[in-house]
């Protein structure tokens, strides 16, 4: 993603890139409402892509950040599987 889009993301800027992410989350929500698995798959890919674009703008290693928070445990109860009381 960085190689493909970082230059364009920098020109667009953080705020407009974030707006694209929000747009894609809206499209994912719509796909979920219609229970359209093919569309859900497509929109999940788009949400991930725009999230990675934001991470690239801040030079964040997403794998490292994800593992730091979620590696083999719930970040709230610290159990695997999660035993939190909330849904």
């Amino acid at each position: 993603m960085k190689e493909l889009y970082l230059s364009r993301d920098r020109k667009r800027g953080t705020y407009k890139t974030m707006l694209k992410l929000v747009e894609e989350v809206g499209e994912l929500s719509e796909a979920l409402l219609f229970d359209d698995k093919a569309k859900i798959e497509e929109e999940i890919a788009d949400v991930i892509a725009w999230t990675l674009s934001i991470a690239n703008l801040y030079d964040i290693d997403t794998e490292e950040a994800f593992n730091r928070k979620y590696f083999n445990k719930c970040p709230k109860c610290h159990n695997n599987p999660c035993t939190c009381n909330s849904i």
Side-chain angles (χ1 to χ4, degrees), residues 42-71:
E42 178 183 328
E43 297 308 331
I44 286 174
D46 289 344
V47 167
I48 292 168
W50 285 106
T51 300
L52 292 173
S53 287
I54 291 170
N56 288 333
L57 287 170
Y58 287 91
D59 197 30
I60 293 170
D61 181 326
T62 53
E63 182 177 11
E64 184 180 301
F66 188 86
N67 285 335
R68 191 176 315 115
K69 184 164 185 177
Y70 291 101
F71 186 73

Side-chain angles (χ1 to χ4, degrees), residues 3 10 18 21 24 27 34-35 38-40 47 49 52 57 64 68-69 74 76 84 87:
E3 187 177 309
R10 283 185 177 145
M18 183 272 308
L21 172 60
E24 294 301 337
E27 291 175 8
F34 289 102
D35 201 28
K39 190 69 174 164
I40 292 167
V47 167
L52 292 173
L57 287 170
E64 184 180 301
R68 191 176 315 115
K69 184 164 185 177
C74 169
K76 292 182 182 178
C84 292
I87 295 177

Side-chain angles (χ1 to χ4, degrees), residues 14-46:
T14 303
Y15 182 75
K16 287 182 181 177
T17 301
M18 183 272 308
L19 288 178
K20 294 298 287 182
L21 172 60
V22 170
E23 177 183 330
E24 294 301 337
V25 170
E27 291 175 8
L28 174 58
S29 297
E30 185 175 314
L32 289 166
L33 286 173
F34 289 102
D35 201 28
D36 182 340
K37 186 174 179 181
K39 190 69 174 164
I40 292 167
E41 182 179 293
E42 178 183 328
E43 297 308 331
I44 286 174
D46 289 344

